[in-house]
Amino acid sequence: MRRLPPVLVEDGCSRELVSLIRTILAACKEISFRVGQGALSGVLGSTLDENIQGETQKKLDVLSNQLLKDILLESGYVKAIASEEEDTTVAGNPDAKYIVAFDPLDGSSNIDINSLVGTIFSIMEVDKESDPADPTIFLQSGRKQVAAGYVLYGPSTMLALSTGKGTRIFTLDKTHGSFLLTHDYAKIPADTNEFAINASNQRFWTAPMQQYIEDLLAGKTGPRGKNFNMRWIAAMVGDVHRVLCRGGLFTYPEDTKDPNKPYKLRLLYEANPMAMLIEQAGGLAHTGQENILDIQPTEIHQRVAVILGSKNEVEACLGYHQ
Ligand code: AFP
């Protein structure tokens, strides 16, 4: 099986971009080890702190963030980083041309129950003379990403990665620490009978989303004329990986549960990288109002609604919103 670096070089990635991706993955291998150690690693449970999102930080959140932050800033490959766990951006090498936004450990609520978690990352390019201390250098639309990926810490540790030439999936061979190409060019089926949503929020959704989900649940005798299955992993990386592998629709829609927070998922380091992976695999990623990758960000931690996956099913859902 083919290793990651030659595959990236074949895709036309510069040596610097290959080195940057390998730097991110070096931290992810350490995170994979710690996650795999579970209770034996002494990093389960919560800290006494909250992040800027107002969420209690798990010990593994803090450790994963520190690992990625240190290795990236020491590498010299990044001008700055943005993280779900950092209040603002952190400056790196002023002469570098890449910036990285990441969610160091997505699915934190799954850590203590030994369920799926992952790391999500988004790489963009900036002008050489841009200011590393200026957070606005991150406010680029998702179409500007030069690479996007996630590492899923499951029974096997898997990497989904796109540099703009399709979405490829690799599996970590833990015997010698290489990511090997195991699924070349993921292709998401255009149709599906599987959807993923946190159904406990049903009473808070907009009317179009309530109607769309009601029609899915009506199954064969309803307006869709077929039965649907539901999944919810509570870690976007796990649900998106299933969609990449076998199709489906994943959505965290707008809701009125917290009037100050109509959306849950973050644009820069969750929605944008996942939207690139999904679109590069032939799927669609939308907010209900616009294509996610077309959004012009206004704030590094801004949140958006997400409806993504099998193209025809996303379009069917959007039909309820027109
Ligand atoms: P955490 O990292 O705080 O667990 O949030 C994970 C997440 O951002 C995303 O990965 C999940 O799809 C979604 O939130 C789960 O949200 P609910 O806990 O409301 O189901």
Side-chain angles (χ1 to χ4, degrees):
M1 283 181 188
R2 302 176 62 202
R3 295 174 51 253
L4 176 77
V7 169
L8 292 181
V9 171
E10 178 195 277
D11 269 359
C13 294
S14 68
R15 290 230 168 271
E16 195 176 359
L17 181 56
V18 174
S19 301
L20 171 52
I21 291 170
R22 295 185 74 187
T23 300
I24 292 171
L25 297 179
C28 291
K29 285 185 236 181
E30 173 66 22
I31 295 169
S32 170
F33 173 73
R34 296 303 187 100
V35 167
Q37 285 288 93
L40 304 177
S41 65
V43 290
L44 297 187
S46 299
T47 67
L48 301 174
D49 305 317
E50 275 193 358
N51 61 17
I52 189 167
Q53 329 281 345
E55 297 157 344
T56 301
Q57 288 185 305
K58 300 282 191 182
K59 290 177 190 167
L60 214 43
D61 279 326
V62 174
L63 173 70
S64 304
N65 183 60
Q66 201 61 49
L67 281 167
L68 278 159
K69 186 173 148 185
D70 290 350
I71 202 167
L72 282 169
L73 295 178
E74 285 158 13
S75 72
Y77 295 126
V78 295
K79 189 182 278 281
I81 59 120
S83 166
E84 182 193 67
E85 302 302 334
E86 297 287 333
D87 293 359
T88 186
T89 59
V90 181
N93 175 6
D95 300 326
K97 67 175 184 177
Y98 293 116
I99 55 176
V100 182
F102 56 85
D103 180 353
L105 206 70
D106 175 62
S108 308
S109 57
N110 284 345
I111 292 172
D112 296 343
I113 57 163
N114 194 32
S115 187
L116 289 180
V117 290
T119 297
I120 310 172
F121 59 90
S122 168
I123 302 174
M124 292 171 279
E125 205 163 329
V126 289
D127 296 338
K128 279 262 186 189
E129 58 281 355
S130 53
D131 176 1
D134 175 7
T136 64
I137 63 177
F138 281 83
L139 302 183
Q140 306 180 32
S141 90
R143 300 242 176 257
K144 298 280 185 64
Q145 295 175 101
V146 294
Y150 62 74
V151 178
L152 176 62
Y153 308 113
S156 60
T157 292
M158 298 184 82
L159 161 72
L161 179 69
S162 178
T163 60
K165 304 221 176 47
T167 295
R168 288 169 146 158
I169 298 175
F170 301 77
T171 302
L172 177 62
D173 179 339
K174 295 178 182 176
T175 55
H176 51 73
S178 296
F179 280 95
L180 304 180
L181 183 64
T182 47
H183 306 58
D184 210 355
Y185 297 118
K187 278 288 166 276
I188 299 174
D191 295 299
T192 184
N193 64 357
E194 196 160 61
F195 68 101
I197 193 166
N198 179 341
S200 70
N201 295 326
Q202 190 277 343
R203 63 190 182 283
F204 301 117
W205 299 332
T206 62
M209 187 53 83
Q210 287 176 336
Q211 187 60 58
Y212 168 67
I213 297 295
E214 184 182 317
D215 288 352
L216 297 184
L217 294 173
K220 208 167 178 60
T221 57
R224 299 298 306 270
K226 66 177 184 177
N227 294 327
F228 283 80
N229 190 29
M230 197 191 98
R231 288 283 182 275
W232 189 248
I233 294 177
M236 191 181 190
V237 284
D239 283 310
V240 168
H241 189 69
R242 185 189 56 256
V243 169
L244 270 183
C245 292
R246 68 185 191 209
L249 179 136
F250 165 88
T251 180
Y252 211 112
E254 174 183 356
D255 68 46
T256 57
K257 192 172 181 180
D258 175 350
N260 302 318
K261 201 174 78 174
Y263 315 117
K264 166 97 188 209
L265 301 178
R266 277 60 56 128
L267 176 60
L268 281 191
Y269 40 80
E270 288 177 323
N272 268 346
M274 293 307 203
M276 179 171 179
L277 292 167
I278 292 290
E279 273 205 6
Q280 286 287 318
L284 194 53
H286 213 275
T287 65
Q289 310 306 323
E290 58 187 315
N291 186 301
I292 286 174
L293 293 178
D294 294 335
I295 298 173
Q296 177 50 50
T298 53
E299 200 276 318
I300 60 168
H301 293 299
Q302 86 183 67
R303 298 168 188 264
V304 291
V306 174
I307 307 168
L308 63 76
S310 293
K311 191 170 184 301
N312 293 347
E313 193 53 43
V314 171
E315 284 171 348
C317 178
L318 296 180
Y320 285 72
H321 292 76
Q322 280 359 1

